[in-house]
Amino acid sequence: MNPDARHALEKLALELKVLRAEDLGLLAVLGLNIQSVLWPKESVDPSLRSMQFMTFEIQKASEGKSEAERWDILRRFIFEEKEFLLSSARPSEVTIPQILVKNTIEERSGHPLPILFLILHFSYVLEIPLCLIQARHHFLLKWVRTGGKTSYLDLYNSCHALTDHELVQVLNRSSSNLEVWTAKQLVLHYLELLISTLDRHQLLTQLNIAYNLVLQVDETNTVMLGQRALLRHRLGFDREALADLKRYFSFVDRVHAPSALVQAWLELENTSEPPERGPVEFLH
């Protein structure tokens, strides 16, 4: 890994570690930065400039407007003027371009998460306090207006406000108790979706980096730790795989561990001196 790429990776890891619960407006830029470290040869600068220009357009159109008017301008800008479209939200059907912020900006189409990140970015700039409800299989935004009135906005319906009856129906279907996602929880959710998509497409180099990023944010995520150990073992990086497994089994009793991890542990434990790792570097 060249010095610039390593610096970008370490900088992103630090940004993810210090992300605060309320930093929802940073998620779009973080999404671009994640894409940049996964594919360092593909510049995200044009997409960043495009996002900055859209921000300028929305700010200009919103000058002197009330909060409700600013929100209506933003909603119309995203779904009518720029015509952003939501693609499938089913994890098993998500393609790589659909989940990436850069591609979503360029194609005006993508998974709900990158589109949500863009909306949260623009709403932060316009001082519209939005957050996402923890609803299963649904994307429901909560807007607590100045003065205390709360509206719930359905991302699947161009962010139109739900009536009380519609809200109850959505909450019943999605098993939601109206708790909201923090910025760190959302970026972890995004990375986990990225991981499942990268895994299905067998993009192993990017998959390893994505595991590293998750474990930078959540060091005790034993599921990701175990999966990274298996990936590293598969790639022949047995020294790193063994280190991951030692750490994994410090949290999880071997009796309760998946058989694949136990088998990998037995194989590596009996190797007196795992070979030195190859030219690929890892961020621990």
Side-chain angles (χ1 to χ4, degrees):
M1 181 179 292
N2 66 56
D4 288 342
R6 170 160 286 280
H7 175 72
L9 191 55
E10 291 174 346
K11 180 175 179 292
L12 174 59
L14 178 60
E15 290 170 343
L16 293 175
K17 271 190 170 183
V18 302
L19 191 66
R20 299 174 302 171
E22 64 271 23
D23 288 337
L24 298 168
L26 300 179
L27 294 178
V29 174
L30 283 174
L32 286 174
N33 291 342
I34 289 169
Q35 185 169 350
S36 181
V37 300
L38 293 178
W39 288 277
K41 294 182 180 179
E42 297 181 15
S43 175
V44 299
D45 289 346
S47 296
L48 182 59
R49 287 194 294 271
S50 178
M51 191 169 72
Q52 290 169 338
F53 184 72
M54 285 191 284
T55 301
F56 171 78
E57 288 184 277
I58 295 172
Q59 285 180 306
K60 191 69 175 174
S62 301
E63 287 180 354
K65 304 295 185 182
S66 68
E67 185 177 325
E69 290 171 325
R70 296 196 304 274
W71 165 246
D72 191 55
I73 288 167
L74 172 55
R75 192 193 64 76
R76 291 177 181 275
F77 180 85
I78 292 290
F79 295 105
E80 296 177 19
E81 184 177 338
K82 298 302 180 182
E83 298 183 315
F84 276 87
L85 298 174
L86 276 66
S87 59
S88 173
R90 293 182 180 180
S92 61
E93 298 176 359
V94 176
T95 65
I96 297 295
Q98 288 172 344
I99 194 62
L100 298 177
V101 176
K102 173 179 182 287
N103 300 68
T104 299
I105 291 172
E106 291 175 349
E107 303 298 327
R108 299 289 193 265
S109 175
H111 184 276
L113 268 178
I115 292 177
L116 169 71
F117 289 176
L118 289 171
I119 292 172
L120 291 173
H121 170 79
F122 297 134
S123 68
Y124 172 77
V125 171
L126 296 181
E127 299 182 346
I128 302 170
L130 297 181
C131 52
L132 185 71
I133 296 297
Q134 294 186 21
R136 293 179 58 203
H137 312 303
H138 210 93
F139 289 83
L140 191 63
L141 286 159
K142 180 180 180 180
W143 172 24
V144 182
R145 308 188 195 190
T146 303
K149 182 180 178 181
T150 300
S151 296
Y152 294 92
L153 316 165
D154 187 355
L155 187 61
Y156 287 130
N157 186 26
S158 303
C159 279
H160 284 290
L162 295 173
T163 65
D164 290 344
H165 177 68
E166 291 170 334
L167 175 62
V168 170
Q169 288 184 316
V170 170
L171 295 180
N172 288 338
R173 288 198 306 268
S174 61
S175 304
S176 172
N177 58 6
L178 293 180
E179 289 187 23
V180 300
W181 294 101
T182 67
K184 189 164 288 190
Q185 288 172 326
L186 268 177
V187 83
L188 279 171
H189 183 43
Y190 178 68
L191 284 167
E192 288 167 2
L193 182 58
L194 257 176
I195 282 170
S196 67
T197 308
L198 293 167
D199 191 25
R200 280 192 294 106
H201 290 83
Q202 291 296 287
L203 296 174
L204 303 186
T205 299
Q206 288 80 11
L207 181 59
N208 181 68
I209 295 171
Y211 282 141
N212 295 339
L213 292 173
V214 167
L215 290 166
Q216 286 292 314
V217 181
D218 183 5
E219 296 178 352
T220 61
N221 190 323
T222 54
V223 173
M224 293 296 168
L225 186 59
Q227 290 178 356
R228 187 176 71 173
L230 292 176
L231 174 62
R232 289 177 163 184
H233 185 34
R234 177 181 175 186
L235 292 172
F237 298 105
D238 289 346
R239 186 183 299 273
E240 286 74 21
L242 182 58
D244 277 352
L245 288 170
K246 287 179 179 178
R247 188 170 152 201
Y248 177 87
F249 286 115
S250 72
F251 293 110
V252 180
D253 191 292
R254 201 177 305 183
V255 175
H256 304 296
S259 59
L261 289 173
V262 175
Q263 180 63 34
W265 170 259
L266 293 174
E267 291 175 8
L268 293 172
E269 189 182 31
N270 293 326
T271 302
S272 57
E273 185 65 25
E276 293 287 346
R277 61 185 177 185
V280 177
E281 295 187 51
F282 296 93
L283 178 64
H284 295 286

